[in-house]
């Protein structure tokens, strides 16, 4: 149906908008017919439509976000005075600035190897304190960590709001109170949002989309009565910017240009109008007034002179490129802009079909969400939320720009309320990219891969200053030839990689190693050996070199450890936290596998295997749980040496932010997800992981629930996993808001991506060396069908099931090679190729088969 809708749109046909009061309005004039001929259509099945019967009141809860990876749009939808909020991905405070001594937030004088050794020995000494040192005081563990190894945070900065475009329709007599038949929506099938209402018998339509091919946001205003559009448009900048707005009525252009107060980064937004009928004037040189138009198209674009090049992080003034974009867009016109947008967007979005039994909602989305929270568990919410995560991936992350941050790029006001809206590398930015590969959106991960690579040089300086591991000539040594780079928790686009803030959240020595799991996944899912050779492996090799030097033998624990370490974002400074140990184990795994694939560095591979074998990354406690700290006995308690057992200090830090009695982070299980260490094939460890998950409970903030969904899915406990899904869908300010954005609170976008990733993990997994079909299918999804999911090895998978049992499995091999699949009773199934010929499959027990594939070949597995 999506394809039919696109074809109808491109052919100029009109499909009535089902479920909308405005859809019943008759078209009575030639002007309206022409306007509707090129208006966005909706599919006959518009179940992937978010719609509301009132404008935005609270942007976090109500706004519908749109973007192209660079420019963001939030339309408030007020009939009388429309507010279009503008964001720009590269608009930031912080980094290099006149008069600022900026070195990535790092210490000016680094910790010495001798200081590090003394500190480690103190932490490992259990003669007086369970964790080696007291918790507080100038000689305590935390104070020593921050005093010896933390940076000063100079130039960290934060994401910067841009501003607003206002469309004031007072001249048309339109007010919010006099508008009737109002609807506001976002169609996930098209990424086009609309506002429809009537005023004085005239039907007004506003359409919004943000084009990646043409790098502009587009707004089309139309009415079904000639000359009914009269309005004034103006711009305003957010606090933190010094700008000037100029309007040129002849060119029908408004330019808002200036600088960020903090760092003098140059920023510009340009808006151009294209009107049919009426005239355009300017009385003040800052705004444009449209009088008596039939239809108006607005195109705006944004830019800065930011460039991701160390150490200046500056490029060209954005004026020329922004001008070229809006001029080219105006020349193309609305219909061509829309067609190009749809071709680009749908090529990505339409790759995955996700049907778990939902039906088209018949009530507005805010009512749908309130009903869900009240216990009416409509499966349409599952499907909307799943595809909304994919939509956000496309809208927020495209090649040529920075990755998504804590708010994606959509924010109004001071970023301080959103933890600076920065790149948090202790789960959040990684979570933003968890669904990219599995839901067939590999292109959207490219900005993340490029960003991580850009942090190597500044991260080397952090490794030297905070961990005493130095790369000579750190700025010029090729990637892969250095001794490692560190990416701690709070990171900006200007190479701020230093640890700052409090010890439990600021120290994140495993951040770069964790990020490389996403990078390596890009290879594993695509099979791109050039990427592996030129990008992924050099990064892995360099981080393996870091761990070779940094790992420390603990006499007390009798293993190689990461010291000092923390378990994000609570608990004591310690030796060998499970979080750190598992991240290092996974880093060595990836480096070993990559070197074998490429046939290089056999000598280094042997060293990596030796180091990996001494990490002992999963230790089981007295309650059968995966211990978070080596000294942990039972949940929240610890003991060491001859000392008595005591409560773990700083356990559960954050209090009410956890939404429960235990912490929102589940860091000791990163080896379960997103790692590969704990699988169903390691039963003892899996059983312990399940105990730990149950200890952590269903509670948590939005993103925390998303993290647990992914972890639970790996256990195969389908209905327990789905309980977490429901808890998140119904979570409101601790889950999904009325506009489906995730809330911590406040709004924090990572949970949306984590939710989509987790729902995918319930249906398909491939981390254990083979593909698992429907590994955690809940009873609520007893009948369904999916297509377009991706397994490692670049296999595209589709599945049908009924009554909770698979009826047909489909595999398309993009790269060739042997496919290995697992499902209950799979050895009794028959494999056929696209021609219907039977393909010989090897059986490995009752539930696993393997068969050869050809590049581009499609295969069907059935039991009939």
């Amino acid at each position: 149906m999506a394809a039919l809708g696109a074809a109808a749109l491109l052919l100029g046909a009109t499909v009535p908008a089902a479920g909308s009061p405005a859809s019943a309005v008759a078209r009575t004039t030639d002007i309206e017919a022409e306007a509707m001929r090129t208006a966005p259509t909706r599919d006959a099945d518009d179940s992937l439509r978010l719609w509301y019967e009132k404008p935005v009141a609270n942007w976090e809860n109500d706004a519908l976000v749109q973007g192209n990876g660079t420019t963001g749009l939030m339309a408030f939808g007020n009939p009388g005075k429309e507010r279009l909020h503008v964001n720009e991905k590269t608009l930031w405070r912080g980094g290099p600035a006149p008069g600022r001594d900026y070195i990535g937030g790092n210490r000016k004088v680094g910790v010495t190897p001798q200081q590090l050794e003394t500190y480690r020995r103190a932490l490992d000494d259990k003669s007086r304190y369970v964790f080696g040192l007291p918790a507080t005081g100038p000689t305590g563990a935390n104070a020593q960590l921050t005093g010896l190894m933390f940076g000063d945070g100079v130039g960290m900065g934060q994401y910067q709001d841009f501003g607003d475009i206002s469309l004031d329709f007072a001249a048309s007599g339109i007010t919010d109170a006099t508008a009737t038949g109002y609807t506001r929506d976002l169609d996930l099938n098209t990424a086009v949002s609309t506002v429809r209402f009537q005023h004085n018998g005239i039907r007004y339509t506003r359409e919004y989309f943000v084009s990646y091919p043409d790098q502009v946001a587009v707004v089309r205003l139309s009415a079904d009565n000639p000359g009914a559009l009269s309005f004034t448009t103006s711009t305003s900048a957010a606090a933190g910017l010094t700008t000037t707005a100029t309007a040129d009525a002849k060119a029908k252009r408004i330019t808002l240009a200036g600088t960020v107060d903090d760092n003098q980064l140059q920023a510009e937004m340009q808006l151009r109008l294209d009107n049919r009928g009426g005239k355009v004037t300017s009385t003040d040189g800052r705004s444009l007034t449209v009088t008596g138009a039939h239809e108006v198209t607005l195109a705006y674009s944004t830019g800065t002179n930011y460039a991701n090049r160390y150490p200046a992080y500056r490029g060209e003034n954005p004026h020329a490129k922004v001008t070229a974009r809006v001029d080219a867009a105006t020349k193309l016109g609305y219909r061509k802009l829309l067609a190009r947008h749809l071709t680009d967007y749908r090529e990505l979005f339409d790759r995955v079909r996700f049907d778990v039994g939902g039906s088209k909602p018949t009530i507005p989305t805010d009512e749908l969400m309130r009903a869900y929270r009240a216990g009416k568990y409509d499966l349409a919410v599952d499907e909307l939320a799943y595809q909304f995560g994919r939509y956000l991936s496309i809208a927020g992350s495209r090649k040529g720009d920075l990755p998504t941050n804590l708010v994606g790029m959509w924010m109004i006001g001071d970023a301080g309320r959103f933890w600076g809206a920065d790149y948090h590398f202790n789960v959040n930015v990684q979570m933003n990219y968890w669904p990219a590969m599995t839901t067939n959106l590999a292109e959207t991960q490219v900005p993340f891969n490029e960003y991580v690579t850009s942090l190597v040089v500044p991260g080397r300086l952090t490794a030297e200053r905070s961990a005493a591991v130095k790369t000579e000539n750190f700025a010029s040594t090729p990637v892969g030839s250095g001794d490692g780079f560190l990416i701690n928790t709070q990171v900006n686009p200007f190479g701020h990689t230093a640890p700052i803030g409090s010890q439990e959240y600021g120290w994140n020595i495993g951040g770069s190693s964790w990020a490389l799991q996403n990078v390596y996944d890009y290879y594993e899912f695509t099979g791109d050996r050039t990427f592996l050779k030129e990008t992924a492996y050099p990064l892995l090799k360099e981080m393996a070199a870091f761990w070779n030097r940094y790992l420390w033998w603990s006499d007390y624990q009798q293993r190689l450890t990461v010291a000092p370490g923390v378990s994000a974002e609570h608990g004591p400074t310690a030796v060998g936290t499970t979080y750190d140990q598992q991240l290092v184990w996974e880093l060595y795994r990836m480096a070993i596998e990559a070197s074998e694939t490429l046939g290089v560095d056999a000598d280094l591979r042997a060293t990596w295997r030796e180091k990996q074998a001494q990490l002992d990354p999963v230790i089981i406690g007295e309650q059968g749980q995966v211990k978070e700290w080596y000294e942990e006995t039972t949940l929240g308690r610890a003991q060491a040496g001859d000392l008595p057992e005591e409560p773990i200090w700083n356990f559960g830090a954050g209090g009410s932010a956890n939404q429960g009695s235990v912490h929102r982070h589940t860091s000791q299980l990163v080896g379960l997800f997103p790692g590969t260490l704990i699988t169903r094939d390691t039963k003892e460890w899996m059983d312990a992981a399940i105990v730990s998950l149950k200890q952590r409970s269903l509670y948590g903030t939005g993103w925390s629930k998303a993290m647990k969904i992914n972890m639970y899915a790996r256990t195969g406990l389908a209905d327990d996993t789905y309980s977490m899904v429901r808890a998140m869908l119904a979570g409101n300010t601790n889950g999904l808001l009325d506009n489906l954005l995730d809330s911590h609170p406040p709004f924090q976008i990572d949970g949306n991506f984590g939710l989509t990733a987790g729902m995918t993990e319930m249906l398909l997994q491939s981390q254990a060396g083979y593909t698992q079909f429907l590994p955690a299918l809940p009873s609520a999804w007893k009948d369904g069908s999916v297509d377009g999911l991706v397994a490692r090895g670049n296999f595209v998978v589709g599945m049908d099931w009924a009554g909770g049992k698979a009826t047909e499995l489909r595999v398309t091999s993009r790269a060739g090679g042997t496919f290995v699949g697992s499902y209950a009773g799979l050895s009794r199934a028959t494999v056929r190729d696209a021609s219907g010929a039977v393909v010989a499959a090897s059986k490995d027990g009752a539930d696993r088969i393997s068969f050869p594939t050809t590049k581009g070949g499609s295969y069907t597995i059935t039991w009939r």
Side-chain angles (χ1 to χ4, degrees), residues 529-540:
R529 286 178 65 95
T530 300
F531 175 81
L532 179 66
K533 180 180 179 180
E534 297 180 358
T535 301
Y537 181 63
L539 294 168
L540 294 168

Side-chain angles (χ1 to χ4, degrees), residues 679-708:
T679 71
R680 295 191 200 184
D681 300 326
T682 59
K683 186 178 185 306
E684 183 182 12
W685 289 356
M686 180 61 81
D687 290 345
I690 291 170
V691 172
S692 289
L693 282 172
K694 290 181 176 178
Q695 288 179 335
R696 279 297 199 260
S697 79
L698 299 179
Y699 296 105
T701 60
W703 73 262
S704 173
K705 289 172 181 170
M707 186 177 191
K708 292 174 191 173

Side-chain angles (χ1 to χ4, degrees), residues 352-366:
V352 170
R353 181 174 56 84
F354 180 84
D355 176 6
V356 293
S359 57
K360 182 180 71 176
T362 58
I363 56 175
T365 306
D366 51 346

Side-chain angles (χ1 to χ4, degrees), residues 335-374:
R335 291 190 67 195
K336 289 183 179 178
L337 287 169
L338 179 60
R340 287 160 60 87
H341 159 72
L342 288 174
T343 298
D344 168 75
Y345 174 76
R346 280 183 145 160
E347 200 284 317
L348 296 168
F349 186 78
D350 289 354
R351 292 174 185 174
V352 170
R353 181 174 56 84
F354 180 84
D355 176 6
V356 293
S359 57
K360 182 180 71 176
T362 58
I363 56 175
T365 306
D366 51 346
E367 294 181 24
L368 182 71
M369 295 306 292
R370 288 195 292 272
Y372 195 97
R373 294 170 197 139

Side-chain angles (χ1 to χ4, degrees), residues 704-727:
S704 173
K705 289 172 181 170
M707 186 177 191
K708 292 174 191 173
I709 290 166
N710 284 274
M711 291 176 169
Y712 258 111
R714 291 277 172 98
T715 70
L717 297 175
D719 285 335
D720 290 330
T721 308
Y722 190 66
S723 293
M724 287 299 312
V725 172
R726 278 193 175 163

Side-chain angles (χ1 to χ4, degrees), residues 412-495:
I412 299 178
D414 188 347
R417 183 166 168 262
F418 304 93
W419 299 276
D422 60 30
Y423 296 103
H424 265 46
F425 270 79
N426 64 351
V427 67
N428 311 94
V429 71
Q430 291 94 333
M431 184 181 288
N432 283 3
Y433 289 90
W434 284 351
M437 306 311 300
T438 56
T439 72
N440 220 334
L441 294 173
E443 295 92 335
T444 68
Q445 188 175 304
V446 171
F448 180 84
N449 299 339
E450 294 176 344
Y451 179 57
V452 171
T453 302
S454 77
L455 295 176
V456 170
V457 170
R460 285 171 175 166
L461 185 60
T462 296
E464 175 189 340
R465 299 291 171 87
S466 69
V469 176
K470 182 177 182 179
T471 294
E472 298 293 342
N473 303 314
F474 76 93
S476 58
T477 298
V479 178
S481 298
D483 279 324
F485 59 101
L486 296 184
I487 306 174
N488 282 278
T489 301
Q490 294 175 266
V491 186
N492 68 15
F494 310 108

